[in-house]
Amino acid sequence: MSVADYKESEGLPQADRETYRSWSYDLASTDVYIPRLKPGQQKWFAAVTRSGTTKQLARVLVLAQNAKAQRWEMVAAVDVDDPQQLPKIVLDKDGYATAIDASSTSLTAPVGVLRTAVGDNFATGGETTGKKVFVPTDASGRQIKVHDQTVHKFGTRGTTRFASADAQFPDAYALKTTAGTLVVFSHTHTQHDSVTAPGLQIVPDKQDRAWLSGPSPAFTYTFTCSDLAAVPSARKPSSLLGYGCRRTDAKAAVPDLAL
């Protein structure tokens, strides 16, 4: 996602590029959650940072050790829409958090179910599984809004279809909370834009120019996203607490002239 930001910025004219500014996290406003891990498990930990005049802005970070390079890397950073919705993470008597297998079928919504529901929010507006798996939240609402506003953007001259894709980064990280499990995961989805009649073309916007060389009857965009969900221990829907996406690929495609 960060590499995509750099690529799109470098594809812009110099006058349109934003100046990069140094940044840091306030350790005094950061809670770190270190899980007990078994030998052989990937080493990782989570942190919740807070900023703003009243610490009203929160972000969940996951840092993991690269097994080959033996160095620590930030593998997820998800802004939380409402910090008050963050469930309380359980700590043992020594102050350690408890890691949970996010793919376990003992969870009311394993990570595979969460990914499918998020993909459905984009693909159908949540009508198939998204609205069943998730209660209404700002994050779910924004995903559904992307679907609702984008699929009709061309009117009768074009179509837009969203579809789930295999997760480029299948790892998921989960911690036990007082109400269930907090899950940080990634998903990948595509957006296929196409004209509906021969002779029409789509002109890439300025952010697309880093990926695309010029107009085409159809394009397929790939988005890589980080998501944060609270999965309850009781048999009831989960809550999508935040997400962020970046376009990480785009290419010319075959148009859907038959649609």
Side-chain angles (χ1 to χ4, degrees), residues 112-134:
V113 172
L114 298 175
R115 282 199 181 102
T116 298
V118 165
D120 184 63
N121 280 347
F122 287 101
T124 73
E127 295 303 323
T128 303
T129 60
K131 293 179 180 178
K132 296 177 182 178
V133 173
F134 294 123

Side-chain angles (χ1 to χ4, degrees), residues 1-12 20 207 209-212 247-250:
M1 293 168 69
S2 298
V3 171
D5 283 341
Y6 284 117
K7 183 178 179 70
E8 290 193 357
S9 178
E10 291 172 353
L12 295 173
Y20 288 106
Q207 280 77 25
R209 292 170 189 165
W211 310 94
L212 305 168
R247 176 172 30 208
T248 51
D249 192 23

Side-chain angles (χ1 to χ4, degrees), residues 8 13 15 19 38 47 49 56 71 73 79 88 93 129-130 137 147 151 168 183 186-187 191 197 217 237 247 250-251:
E8 290 193 357
T19 302
K38 298 178 181 178
T49 68
Q56 75 277 16
R71 67 185 181 193
E73 301 171 340
D79 290 331
K88 184 177 181 180
K93 61 181 180 63
T129 60
T137 62
H147 167 270
V151 294
Q168 184 178 358
V183 184
S186 174
H187 85 269
Q191 175 184 329
R247 176 172 30 208
K251 58 188 177 182

Side-chain angles (χ1 to χ4, degrees), residues 42 62 64-65 75-76 102 111 115 167-174 183-187:
Q42 181 189 27
V62 174
Q65 188 178 50
V75 296
V111 67
R115 282 199 181 102
Q168 184 178 358
F169 303 98
D171 291 341
Y173 304 88
V183 184
V184 182
F185 62 101
S186 174
H187 85 269

Side-chain angles (χ1 to χ4, degrees), residues 3 9 15 19 95 111 117 123 128 141 157 160-161 178-179 189 197 225 228 241:
V3 171
S9 178
T19 302
V111 67
T128 303
R157 295 182 297 175
T160 294
R161 292 184 290 108
T178 55
H189 69 264
C225 311
L228 176 70
L241 304 181

Side-chain angles (χ1 to χ4, degrees), residues 42-48 59-65 72-78 172-175 183-185 227-228:
Q42 181 189 27
K43 296 179 180 179
W44 66 275
F45 66 92
V48 177
R59 175 176 291 175
V60 174
L61 313 174
V62 174
L63 293 93
Q65 188 178 50
W72 288 88
E73 301 171 340
M74 187 181 296
V75 296
V78 190
Y173 304 88
L175 293 174
V183 184
V184 182
F185 62 101
D227 306 87
L228 176 70

